[in-house]
Amino acid sequence: MSPDPLTARVALTERAPTITGAEIVAELVPPRQFDGASLENYVPDTAFPSQAEAVEAVAGFGGAAERPARRGLFRRRADSPDVLPGLYLDGGFGVGKTHLLAALFNRTTGRRYFGTFIEYTALVGAVGYAGAARQLEGASLVCIDEFELDDPGDTMMMTRLLGDLAEGGTRIAATSNTPPAALGEGRFAAADFLREIQGLSDRFRTLRIDGDDYRRREVEAKAHTVDDLDTAVASLPGTVSVDDFAAVVAHLSSVHPSRYVKLIDGLDAVALRDVRPFTSQTDALRFVAFVDRLYDAQVRVVASGAPLDTVFSDEMLAGGYRKKYLRATSRLVALTSAH
């Protein structure tokens, strides 16, 4: 079968993207699928009352009057949770945390930013700590999706950055799949994590959102695979990258994760040939970061070989990065399902 003329083929492995601090800042908005996210179109699952409670909490947090900065605001303890400048939404995969965070962003006026943890650390890497703090200074709201603490240096940097922002009156909202006090458990340098994380935990009002993964409710429970990748690609309109899975994994090691957003720029779909399970955790974690960018951009994934929800070994899933792998698996199930 000859390729469809509407399909333009490219190769991820031939792309060597660069990104500037200004480009990172320009990307600090919710993923496009959340452009219309609001508290009104978030539909709580009645089987899980905590979802409706989270809607009320986000509404209250977004509508709270701004308080003038005080010395040690982030370190002050108070009986009322409204005093705290941070809101932390904890919950499993697909319960709508990102939707709620985007809804908060969309209902907030003034200068505000929305990004993943890695995007904020990438900004610091691009323009330095002082440059990043100046860029974010004065924002009415900073949203951090999928708060992650994989490196003690990043932990301390984000702790300092959030403290500086709060001192200036910025309100901060974050999501993660792990409560603040448990972040870092089972990972290297756990003592460093726990020392820093205790301070972070005290600075946020934490809300637990229970529920089922809507992505697994709405689509088949397994990642879809194809027998003939070329035939599948020929049926796809737009621009599609076609690469061997092993080659993409190798290429990701040469591209900083902050540039993955540019790596997939302009793509309508990504085709991966001969998928195989990971044997290296470093490679697996890079792929997780890549999947996050694919999901944010809603780039369809077509793959042959092993189902993409089986690429993380049982040993990986039992380790400290379990939640990251499960998040990626959930997203891969959605991205490989027919649209």
Side-chain angles (χ1 to χ4, degrees), residues 84-158:
L84 297 176
L87 178 66
Y88 186 101
L89 302 178
D90 165 56
F93 313 102
V95 297
K97 300 187 304 297
T98 300
H99 181 114
L100 290 171
L101 193 65
L104 174 62
F105 177 94
N106 292 337
R107 67 189 281 120
T108 301
T109 59
R111 185 160 56 88
R112 70 267 199 236
Y113 299 99
F114 183 111
T116 62
F117 182 86
I118 195 173
E119 287 176 300
Y120 288 106
T121 57
L123 176 62
V124 174
V127 300
Y129 180 87
R134 282 195 301 269
Q135 177 63 56
L136 302 177
E137 183 181 14
S140 58
L141 175 70
V142 168
C143 297
I144 308 169
D145 199 22
E146 297 297 350
F147 205 105
E148 298 180 0
L149 298 170
D150 298 332
D151 178 271
D154 285 347
T155 303
M156 291 185 287
M157 181 274 293
M158 287 299 289

Side-chain angles (χ1 to χ4, degrees), residues 313-335:
S313 69
D314 290 341
E315 183 179 2
M316 292 177 182
L317 292 174
Y321 297 105
R322 170 182 172 80
K323 290 180 181 289
K324 296 183 74 169
Y325 293 136
L326 291 178
R327 183 185 75 227
T329 297
S330 170
R331 293 179 168 182
L332 286 165
V333 167
L335 292 175

Side-chain angles (χ1 to χ4, degrees), residues 139-303:
S140 58
L141 175 70
V142 168
C143 297
I144 308 169
D145 199 22
E146 297 297 350
F147 205 105
E148 298 180 0
L149 298 170
D150 298 332
D151 178 271
D154 285 347
T155 303
M156 291 185 287
M157 181 274 293
M158 287 299 289
T159 299
R160 176 187 172 193
L161 182 60
L162 296 183
D164 288 347
L165 291 174
E167 291 285 352
T170 297
R171 297 172 70 78
I172 298 161
T175 73
S176 182
N177 295 316
T178 310
L183 286 169
E185 285 185 358
R187 302 182 183 182
F188 64 89
D192 292 333
F193 277 103
L194 293 174
R195 181 170 58 250
E196 295 300 323
I197 290 162
Q198 182 57 49
L200 283 175
S201 180
D202 291 343
R203 298 170 182 183
F204 287 88
R205 179 187 178 188
T206 302
L207 294 173
R208 172 74 187 182
I209 306 176
D210 300 303
D212 298 322
D213 185 344
Y214 77 91
R215 288 181 289 264
R216 287 185 177 269
R217 292 198 303 264
E218 296 179 354
V219 300
E220 62 180 311
K222 297 295 182 180
H224 182 68
T225 60
V226 299
D227 295 326
D228 188 332
L229 192 72
D230 292 323
T231 298
V233 168
S235 68
L236 299 175
T239 302
V240 182
S241 66
V242 183
D243 300 87
D244 289 340
F245 181 72
V248 169
V249 171
H251 188 58
L252 291 178
S253 68
S254 68
V255 180
H256 190 276
S258 66
R259 301 176 183 177
Y260 289 174
V261 66
K262 297 292 288 292
L263 188 64
I264 63 172
D265 188 35
L267 295 182
D268 296 290
V270 166
L272 302 172
R273 191 188 308 277
D274 196 22
V275 172
R276 291 290 180 267
F278 286 104
T279 57
S280 163
Q281 182 149 259
T282 300
D283 289 341
L285 289 171
R286 289 195 191 102
F287 188 67
V288 167
F290 181 63
V291 170
D292 287 342
R293 300 289 74 75
L294 290 173
Y295 186 77
D296 287 346
Q298 288 294 282
V299 176
R300 182 175 179 176
V301 176
V302 180

